[in-house]
């Protein structure tokens, strides 16, 4: 089955700096890669996603890049703010009926004011 | 429009007791999922449903049962709780076969002593 590895497990940045979180996946048939933000005591919130037919997607301060050949994808957050502090999860799924997500182990991002 | 709700929010069980977790959605989504989240790990799929009256096993189904008698509700049952089932349980929904995005509920924190 699919295996998703995520790095780093913790990341501390100064407010205004950029943050990058990286994930690799094992199943070359995976074609959908979402990123979730989870705040303490809450459920994961979808913040951006990318499908395998594009290499990059951007939404304001957040961008995701995908390298299908290397089987890795990354989340980029620019101009970080304290409210970006949370745990971020990457995930992958393939085109089966269930399209269940396989998650990475998470990155705790702390933005220091 | 409440989205995805889960009840209860917290529960403590003794080993061997049973309970049912309820996930309810008001978005008319076809697909529903149950995941569990353990410390330092990504979410793992327990069971899922592709529509009213249908259920299927995920990665970690042992010790759990599910039912989807109504489209808007997905129930997760523990017949005889074990300490290994101490976890945070999340429900998610997906609109249709053609869609990719999954939307998560706020979670249920379960402790089995």
């Amino acid at each position: 089955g699919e295996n998703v590895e995520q790095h780093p497990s913790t990341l501390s940045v100064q407010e205004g700096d950029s943050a990058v979180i990286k994930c690799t996946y094992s199943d070359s048939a995976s074609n959908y890669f979402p990123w979730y933000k989870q705040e303490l005591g809450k459920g994961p919130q979808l913040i951006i996603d990318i499908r395998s037919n594009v290499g990059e997607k951007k939404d304001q301060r957040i961008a995701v890049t995908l390298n299908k050949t290397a089987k890795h994808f990354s989340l980029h957050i620019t101009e970080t703010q304290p409210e970006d502090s949370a745990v971020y999860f990457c995930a992958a799924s393939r085109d089966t009926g269930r399209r269940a997500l396989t998650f990475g182990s998470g990155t705790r991002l702390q933005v220091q004011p | 429009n409440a989205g995805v709700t889960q009840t209860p929010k917290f529960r403590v069980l003794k080993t061997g007791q049973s309970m049912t977790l309820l996930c309810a959605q008001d978005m008319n989504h076809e697909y529903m999922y149950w995941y569990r989240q353990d410390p330092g790990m990504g979410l793992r799929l327990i069971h899922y449903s592709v529509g009213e009256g249908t259920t299927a096993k995920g990665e970690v189904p042992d010790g759990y049962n599910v039912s989807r008698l109504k489209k808007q509700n997905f129930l997760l049952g523990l017949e005889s709780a074990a300490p290994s089932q101490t976890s945070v349980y999340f429900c998610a929904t997906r609109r249709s076969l053609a869609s990719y995005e999954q939307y998560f509920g706020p979670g249920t924190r379960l402790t089995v002593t």
Side-chain angles (χ1 to χ4, degrees):
Chain A
E2 173 71 281
N3 182 47
V4 177
E5 295 192 356
Q6 183 172 346
H7 300 280
S9 56
T10 60
L11 180 59
S12 182
V13 300
Q14 291 295 124
E15 183 177 356
D17 287 351
S18 295
V20 180
I21 303 170
K22 299 182 179 183
C23 288
T24 60
Y25 61 98
S26 61
D27 186 352
S28 57
S30 289
N31 63 352
Y32 174 65
F33 307 93
W35 285 89
Y36 286 86
K37 176 183 181 183
Q38 187 176 27
E39 296 174 328
L40 194 62
K42 296 186 178 180
Q45 177 189 7
L46 179 67
I47 56 172
I48 194 167
D49 57 10
I50 191 168
R51 299 183 195 178
S52 59
N53 57 347
V54 298
E56 184 174 358
K57 183 176 179 181
K58 190 173 181 180
D59 182 5
Q60 298 183 15
R61 297 186 296 110
I62 295 174
V64 57
T65 59
L66 171 65
N67 183 326
K68 284 192 298 182
T69 303
K71 289 191 284 189
H72 69 70
F73 56 112
S74 301
L75 177 71
H76 305 254
I77 305 174
T78 59
E79 300 172 20
T80 54
Q81 301 167 4
E83 51 265 40
D84 293 330
S85 296
V87 179
Y88 291 81
F89 290 95
C90 63
S93 73
R94 58 185 296 179
D95 248 349
T96 60
R98 70 179 197 178
R99 287 210 185 115
L101 296 170
T102 300
F103 283 83
S105 54
T107 296
R108 183 173 299 278
L109 173 65
Q110 187 157 12
V111 180
Q112 308 283 357
Chain B
N1 187 344
V4 183
T5 59
Q6 292 184 235
T7 52
K9 289 186 170 51
F10 304 94
R11 185 74 186 267
V12 179
L13 285 179
K14 289 186 174 13
T15 298
Q17 288 184 321
S18 63
M19 78 163 294
T20 300
L21 284 67
L22 170 65
C23 175
Q25 54 110 351
D26 61 2
M27 300 179 288
N28 202 35
H29 285 186
E30 292 294 331
Y31 290 71
M32 297 185 77
Y33 305 82
W34 277 108
Y35 292 87
R36 61 177 287 172
Q37 184 177 40
D38 300 300
M41 300 178 68
L43 285 75
R44 292 181 292 166
L45 182 67
I46 305 171
H47 285 281
Y48 66 100
S49 168
V50 302
E52 181 179 318
T54 72
T55 63
K57 294 180 181 180
E59 298 173 55
V60 289
D62 294 342
Y64 305 96
N65 56 75
V66 287
S67 65
R68 184 125 180 248
L69 300 179
K70 294 182 179 180
K71 185 177 183 178
Q72 63 268 34
N73 294 339
F74 195 27
L75 280 67
L76 178 70
L78 286 73
E79 291 184 347
S80 179
S84 60
Q85 294 177 303
T86 294
S87 189
V88 182
Y89 292 86
F90 289 100
C91 174
T93 69
R94 186 177 123 225
R95 180 166 44 87
S96 68
L97 178 64
S99 64
Y100 288 80
E101 300 85 356
Q102 290 189 26
Y103 300 95
F104 284 80
T108 294
R109 182 175 293 276
L110 175 66
T111 301
V112 183
T113 62

